[in-house]
Protein backbone atom coordinates (compact mmCIF):
# COMPACT_ATOMS: atom_id res chain seq x y z
CA UNK A 1 0.00 0.00 0.00
CA UNK A 2 3.05 2.28 0.03
CA UNK A 3 2.02 3.84 -3.29
CA UNK A 4 -1.31 4.90 -1.75
CA UNK A 5 -1.28 8.55 -0.70
CA UNK A 6 -3.54 10.29 1.79
CA UNK A 7 -4.29 13.88 2.71
CA UNK A 8 -5.67 15.01 6.06
CA UNK A 9 -7.80 18.15 6.35
CA UNK A 10 -8.65 19.49 9.79
CA UNK A 11 -11.45 22.03 9.92
CA UNK A 12 -12.13 24.67 12.55
CA UNK A 13 -11.30 28.27 13.35
CA UNK A 14 -10.34 27.07 16.84
CA UNK A 15 -7.43 25.12 15.31
CA UNK A 16 -6.15 28.08 13.30
CA UNK A 17 -6.04 30.46 16.26
CA UNK A 18 -4.43 27.93 18.59
CA UNK A 19 -7.43 27.63 20.88
CA UNK A 20 -7.40 23.87 20.32
CA UNK A 21 -4.33 21.73 19.59
CA UNK A 22 -4.77 19.41 16.60
CA UNK A 23 -4.20 15.88 17.87
CA UNK A 24 -6.56 14.34 15.31
CA UNK A 25 -4.26 14.58 12.30
CA UNK A 26 -1.42 12.97 14.28
CA UNK A 27 -3.68 10.05 15.26
CA UNK A 28 -4.94 9.61 11.69
CA UNK A 29 -1.42 9.84 10.24
CA UNK A 30 -0.14 7.18 12.66
CA UNK A 31 -3.08 4.86 11.91
CA UNK A 32 -2.53 5.19 8.15
CA UNK A 33 1.24 4.85 8.45
CA UNK A 34 0.74 1.52 10.28
CA UNK A 35 -1.06 0.10 7.23
CA UNK A 36 1.48 1.47 4.76
CA UNK A 37 -0.39 4.54 3.50
CA UNK A 38 1.86 7.51 2.76
CA UNK A 39 0.72 10.87 4.12
CA UNK A 40 0.89 13.40 1.30
CA UNK A 41 -0.06 16.47 3.35
CA UNK A 42 -1.90 17.79 6.36
CA UNK A 43 -3.91 20.97 6.00
CA UNK A 44 -5.79 23.03 8.59
CA UNK A 45 -8.55 25.32 7.36
CA UNK A 46 -11.08 27.53 9.11
CA UNK A 47 -14.86 27.22 9.08
CA UNK A 48 -14.97 28.88 5.68
CA UNK A 49 -16.66 27.45 2.59
CA UNK A 50 -14.04 28.66 0.10
CA UNK A 51 -11.10 27.35 2.16
CA UNK A 52 -12.69 23.95 2.68
CA UNK A 53 -13.67 23.58 -0.99
CA UNK A 54 -10.20 24.62 -2.13
CA UNK A 55 -8.60 22.10 0.25
CA UNK A 56 -10.89 19.32 -1.03
CA UNK A 57 -10.10 20.13 -4.66
CA UNK A 58 -6.33 20.44 -4.10
CA UNK A 59 -5.92 17.30 -2.01
CA UNK A 60 -8.17 15.08 -4.11
CA UNK A 61 -6.04 15.78 -7.19
CA UNK A 62 -2.90 14.53 -5.37
CA UNK A 63 -4.17 11.76 -3.09
CA UNK A 64 -6.05 8.47 -3.19
CA UNK A 65 -7.60 9.15 0.23
CA UNK A 66 -8.79 12.41 1.81
CA UNK A 67 -9.72 12.38 5.49
CA UNK A 68 -11.51 15.39 6.95
CA UNK A 69 -12.09 16.00 10.66
CA UNK A 70 -14.17 18.72 12.25
CA UNK A 71 -17.04 20.93 11.26
CA UNK A 72 -19.76 18.28 11.64
CA UNK A 73 -21.25 19.54 14.89
CA UNK A 74 -24.57 21.22 15.63
CA UNK A 75 -23.34 24.82 15.86
CA UNK A 76 -23.82 27.52 13.22
CA UNK A 77 -20.12 27.58 12.27
CA UNK A 78 -20.16 23.85 11.45
CA UNK A 79 -20.68 24.09 7.70
CA UNK A 80 -18.87 20.96 6.54
CA UNK A 81 -21.88 18.65 6.13
CA UNK A 82 -23.89 20.93 3.80
CA UNK A 83 -20.68 21.77 1.94
CA UNK A 84 -19.89 18.06 1.41
CA UNK A 85 -23.47 17.53 0.30
CA UNK A 86 -22.98 20.19 -2.36
CA UNK A 87 -19.44 19.00 -3.28
CA UNK A 88 -20.62 15.43 -3.91
CA UNK A 89 -23.97 16.40 -5.46
CA UNK A 90 -26.37 14.93 -2.92
CA UNK A 91 -29.32 16.01 -0.85
CA UNK A 92 -29.52 15.96 2.93
CA UNK A 93 -31.68 13.24 4.43
CA UNK A 94 -32.29 12.01 7.98
CA UNK A 95 -30.30 8.85 8.79
CA UNK A 96 -32.78 6.97 10.95
CA UNK A 97 -30.29 4.87 13.02
CA UNK A 98 -28.38 8.04 13.89
CA UNK A 99 -31.60 9.86 14.85
CA UNK A 100 -32.57 6.95 17.12
CA UNK A 101 -29.09 7.04 18.70
CA UNK A 102 -29.30 10.82 19.26
CA UNK A 103 -32.81 10.47 20.70
CA UNK A 104 -31.54 7.81 23.10
CA UNK A 105 -28.66 10.04 24.24
CA UNK A 106 -30.72 13.19 24.83
CA UNK A 107 -34.13 11.87 25.85
CA UNK A 108 -33.30 8.65 27.67
CA UNK A 109 -29.83 9.25 29.10
CA UNK A 110 -29.76 13.02 29.67
CA UNK A 111 -33.54 13.45 30.19
CA UNK A 112 -33.56 16.47 27.88
CA UNK A 113 -35.96 17.18 25.03
CA UNK A 114 -34.75 16.68 21.50
CA UNK A 115 -34.37 20.06 19.78
CA UNK A 116 -33.96 20.93 16.09
CA UNK A 117 -30.19 21.30 16.44
CA UNK A 118 -29.97 17.71 17.74
CA UNK A 119 -32.14 16.36 14.94
CA UNK A 120 -29.94 18.14 12.35
CA UNK A 121 -27.05 15.98 13.59
CA UNK A 122 -28.81 12.99 11.98
CA UNK A 123 -28.82 14.63 8.54
CA UNK A 124 -26.41 13.15 6.02
CA UNK A 125 -25.94 13.49 2.27
CA UNK A 126 -27.79 10.72 0.46
CA UNK A 127 -24.63 10.07 -1.58
CA UNK A 128 -22.51 8.93 1.38
CA UNK A 129 -22.09 5.74 3.33
CA UNK A 130 -22.80 6.54 6.97
CA UNK A 131 -20.19 5.51 9.54
CA UNK A 132 -22.21 5.03 12.72
CA UNK A 133 -20.72 6.97 15.64
CA UNK A 134 -21.46 5.04 18.81
CA UNK A 135 -19.35 7.52 20.84
CA UNK A 136 -21.24 10.69 19.93
CA UNK A 137 -23.92 12.38 17.87
CA UNK A 138 -22.16 13.33 14.60
CA UNK A 139 -21.95 10.37 12.23
CA UNK A 140 -18.90 9.84 10.07
CA UNK A 141 -19.37 9.71 6.31
CA UNK A 142 -17.61 8.00 3.43
CA UNK A 143 -17.73 9.27 -0.15
CA UNK A 144 -16.10 8.26 -3.39
CA UNK A 145 -15.34 10.60 -6.27
CA UNK A 146 -13.52 9.07 -9.19
CA UNK A 147 -10.93 6.79 -7.63
CA UNK A 148 -10.55 8.89 -4.47
CA UNK A 149 -12.01 7.81 -1.11
CA UNK A 150 -13.15 10.61 1.19
CA UNK A 151 -13.91 10.23 4.88
CA UNK A 152 -15.53 12.99 6.95
CA UNK A 153 -15.18 12.50 10.70
CA UNK A 154 -16.23 14.49 13.75
CA UNK A 155 -13.57 16.65 15.36
CA UNK A 156 -14.12 15.36 18.91
CA UNK A 157 -10.98 13.21 19.40
CA UNK A 158 -12.51 10.14 21.07
CA UNK A 159 -15.29 10.06 18.46
CA UNK A 160 -12.82 10.43 15.58
CA UNK A 161 -10.54 7.70 16.99
CA UNK A 162 -13.42 5.24 17.32
CA UNK A 163 -14.44 5.82 13.68
CA UNK A 164 -10.85 5.58 12.37
CA UNK A 165 -10.29 2.27 14.16
CA UNK A 166 -13.68 0.69 13.45
CA UNK A 167 -14.35 1.91 9.89
CA UNK A 168 -11.69 4.01 8.17
CA UNK A 169 -8.65 1.73 8.47
CA UNK A 170 -10.55 -1.49 7.56
CA UNK A 171 -12.33 0.22 4.64
CA UNK A 172 -9.04 1.54 3.26
CA UNK A 173 -7.41 -1.87 3.60
CA UNK A 174 -10.35 -3.55 1.88
CA UNK A 175 -10.66 -0.99 -0.93
CA UNK A 176 -6.98 -0.99 -1.87
CA UNK A 177 -6.37 -4.74 -1.45
CA UNK A 178 -8.42 -5.62 -4.54
Amino acid sequence: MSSIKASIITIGDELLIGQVIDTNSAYIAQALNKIGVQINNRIAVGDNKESITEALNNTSSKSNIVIITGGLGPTADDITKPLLNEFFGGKLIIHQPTLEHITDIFVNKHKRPLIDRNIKQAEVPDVCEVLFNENGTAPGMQFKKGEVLFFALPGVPHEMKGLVDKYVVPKIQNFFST
Side-chain angles (χ1 to χ4, degrees):
M1 254 199 248
S2 60
S3 63
I4 306 301
K5 294 183 168 91
S7 294
I8 300 166
I9 303 171
T10 54
I11 299 172
D13 292 338
E14 66 278 7
L15 297 169
L16 292 180
I17 63 171
Q19 185 180 9
V20 172
I21 304 287
D22 172 23
T23 57
N24 287 359
S25 58
Y27 186 87
I28 293 166
Q30 290 168 2
L32 295 180
N33 186 50
K34 282 181 191 169
I35 61 168
V37 174
Q38 180 184 340
I39 305 305
N40 217 17
N41 52 14
R42 292 170 32 180
I43 301 167
V45 296
D47 295 300
N48 170 290
K49 183 176 180 176
E50 292 77 27
S51 298
I52 298 167
T53 303
E54 183 179 336
L56 287 168
N57 285 323
N58 289 343
T59 57
S60 63
S61 67
K62 300 174 189 143
S63 298
N64 310 95
I65 303 160
V66 176
I67 301 178
I68 305 153
T69 75
L72 300 179
T75 58
D77 65 336
D78 291 319
I79 61 168
T80 305
K81 204 183 311 183
L83 186 146
L84 290 172
N85 185 56
E86 186 179 312
F87 187 80
F88 290 103
K91 68 175 182 146
L92 288 174
I93 59 168
I94 294 286
H95 182 250
Q96 200 57 41
T98 298
L99 181 59
E100 290 167 11
H101 177 64
I102 292 168
T103 301
D104 182 56
I105 289 171
F106 284 96
V107 175
N108 299 334
K109 291 188 176 113
H110 296 300
K111 307 294 183 208
R112 294 195 304 206
L114 205 58
I115 59 174
D116 286 344
R117 177 167 66 179
N118 305 133
I119 295 168
K120 272 191 109 30
Q121 285 290 104
E123 286 185 345
V124 295
D126 62 351
V127 292
C128 79
E129 179 182 336
V130 176
L131 309 176
F132 185 76
N133 181 2
E134 60 193 46
N135 298 318
T137 59
M141 295 170 281
Q142 178 186 336
F143 301 89
K144 187 169 179 264
K145 194 171 198 176
E147 290 303 309
V148 181
L149 285 182
F150 292 81
F151 295 92
L153 307 173
V156 178
H158 78 276
E159 295 181 31
M160 176 276 308
K161 289 176 184 177
L163 292 170
V164 166
D165 296 343
K166 184 171 184 175
Y167 296 108
V168 176
V169 168
K171 284 179 174 292
I172 289 170
Q173 289 175 309
N174 184 51
F175 185 80
F176 290 103
S177 70
T178 54

